[in-house]
Amino acid sequence: MPEFDATKKQALSKIASNLPKEELLYDLAEFFKIFGDSSRIRILSLLREEKLCVNAISYLLQLSASAVSHQLRILRQARLVRYQKIGKEVFYSLDDDHIEKILDQGLEHIKEM
């Protein structure tokens, strides 16, 4: 382990004290894991544009309805999407504008690489 003088140790301690709590960092890591699947990213990208039902998402992404439903369940549990029942159909949308901002910033970062 490296050795530091007292001044450097104090500065490093201050940095460490500003870190979020371990539990919060764990939750953040779990949150970002949700974005690690291209099918979920594709679904979120569609829902940025329009509220859609499972069949429409399935058609647009050329995925089975059961695969889309499975991914939507994961996205719902992570509070990334919400649903609204209209008549007999269930329509999905992004949960809030934070999700759109996360997608936008991620895309912007990738385009700059």
Side-chain angles (χ1 to χ4, degrees):
M1 212 152 107
E3 289 294 320
F4 296 108
D5 63 29
T7 304
K8 185 68 171 178
K9 284 181 181 179
Q10 187 177 8
L12 292 173
S13 291
K14 184 177 180 185
I15 292 168
S17 70
N18 289 328
L19 277 176
K21 292 184 179 181
E22 191 73 29
E23 183 179 308
L24 189 59
L25 291 173
Y26 176 82
D27 291 343
L28 182 62
E30 290 299 312
F31 174 77
F32 279 115
K33 281 182 187 178
I34 302 298
F35 292 94
D37 181 278
S38 62
S39 294
R40 290 192 286 267
I41 293 292
R42 292 169 65 208
I43 291 169
L44 291 170
S45 295
L46 285 176
L47 296 178
R48 287 178 67 220
E49 303 298 321
E50 186 78 37
K51 286 182 182 179
L52 295 168
C53 65
V54 170
N55 288 335
I57 296 169
S58 174
Y59 173 79
L60 289 167
L61 298 182
Q62 296 296 294
L63 295 170
S64 70
S66 65
V68 169
S69 293
H70 173 73
Q71 297 303 336
L72 285 168
R73 183 172 34 261
I74 292 168
L75 293 169
R76 234 182 21 250
Q77 289 171 343
R79 295 189 338 245
L80 298 180
V81 300
R82 63 179 160 198
Y83 67 93
Q84 178 183 13
K85 206 166 189 179
I86 302 175
K88 292 183 178 183
E89 288 198 279
V90 176
F91 287 85
Y92 291 85
S93 61
L94 296 182
D95 190 64
D96 59 36
D97 64 334
H98 292 111
I99 308 311
E100 188 171 347
K101 289 176 186 174
I102 291 167
L103 290 170
D104 288 343
Q105 288 182 346
L107 285 171
E108 185 179 321
H109 180 74
I110 295 300
K111 289 176 183 177
E112 289 176 357
M113 294 175 87

